[in-house]
Amino acid sequence: DAAWVHREAMGLAATGDRLYVSLYYDDLVIALDPEDGSQVGAVAVDAPVGLAADPNGNLYAVSGTQVVRVDPGGAVTPVVTEGLEAPIGLATDAAGNLYVSDWGGAMDVKVFSPEGELLSTVGATGGRPLSGPYDGSGMFRPFGIAIDEGGLLWVAEFDYTPKRVSVWDAGGELVREYLGPTWYGATETNVNTLDPTQAFSLGTTLDLDWEEGTWQVSGTLWRP
């Protein structure tokens, strides 16, 4: 519906027979009928961003520096009230725990109990630097997050030097990562003519192994 598409939808969740969308600039979480896309409800929530529903059907939203529970009838109840600096993404696991991607000086994912108690942190606190050697244990602007059926945390970063999706286990250890450019077949990639074991791609440095046919990210030269 063109009436709300332009309002900067920042979060999406489904529970019951409704889709919920957070409209950051309108301070609203709206409910949609998934059959025809029509708006069937709205709840006032201050600066809503990430949305997620737990296994019991409870709807949660990142609101400012808090996580709140949103009742479709209009009630908004704070759940996580401290410990977050600049939260944005939200997910839940089978136990109802809340996962929140946090920016600012944190650059990590924090795990809270359904009652709002901090349980653990995933990723090195402070994340990766704007430029310098690459360290996969740190995140940079972790945005969209999700928990899969095996309990693994998937994190998509809002960045492209490098573009990264990482996977973490319940203990906060990095399981694997997927790295690449912003678009496929990037033409802004060049092999260093003085050192053919090194390449440059979209502000990222790569180490090349020609015998094995492999590469890995070694650092970030710059970010805009």
Side-chain angles (χ1 to χ4, degrees):
D1 189 323
W4 60 267
V5 165
H6 70 284
R7 297 180 189 167
E8 298 294 341
M10 296 290 288
L12 177 69
T15 182
D17 60 352
R18 293 289 182 262
L19 294 176
Y20 293 90
V21 182
S22 59
L23 302 182
Y24 180 83
Y25 293 109
D26 288 346
D27 293 325
L28 285 176
V29 171
I30 62 173
L32 305 177
D33 184 331
E35 295 297 326
D36 59 16
S38 62
Q39 182 176 330
V40 294
V43 179
V45 179
D46 182 46
V49 192
L51 293 178
D54 70 9
N56 295 320
N58 296 307
L59 179 65
Y60 295 90
V62 171
S63 173
T65 58
Q66 299 184 338
V67 176
V68 299
R69 185 167 57 251
V70 181
D71 187 292
V76 176
T77 306
V79 177
V80 178
T81 58
E82 58 183 18
L84 294 171
E85 183 176 345
I88 187 164
L90 185 63
T92 62
D93 64 15
N97 295 316
L98 301 165
Y99 293 69
V100 188
S101 57
D102 202 10
W103 288 18
M107 293 296 176
D108 57 21
V109 174
K110 295 181 173 66
V111 186
F112 296 87
S113 72
E115 295 72 37
E117 176 188 0
L118 179 63
L119 301 177
S120 62
T121 300
V122 181
T125 299
R128 299 197 309 279
L130 285 169
S131 61
Y134 179 79
D135 182 356
S137 68
M139 305 174 192
F140 186 79
R141 294 196 294 190
F143 196 173
I145 58 178
I147 307 297
D148 67 18
E149 293 181 349
L152 297 177
L153 168 67
W154 291 67
V155 181
E157 298 180 6
F158 190 71
D159 187 42
Y160 62 88
T161 52
K163 200 77 169 178
R164 184 192 192 214
V165 174
S166 54
V167 186
W168 309 75
D169 65 20
E173 295 297 321
L174 180 65
V175 175
R176 67 181 70 92
E177 60 182 354
Y178 302 91
L179 300 161
T182 303
W183 51 85
Y184 296 106
T187 57
E188 289 79 5
T189 299
N190 301 280
V191 175
N192 186 346
T193 56
L194 300 179
D195 180 2
T197 67
Q198 184 182 59
F200 307 99
S201 178
L202 297 171
T204 301
T205 57
L206 310 173
D207 289 337
L208 310 178
D209 188 325
W210 291 94
E211 292 185 1
E212 296 294 330
T214 60
W215 59 271
Q216 62 182 6
V217 174
S218 58
T220 298
L221 291 175
W222 60 270
R223 283 188 174 89

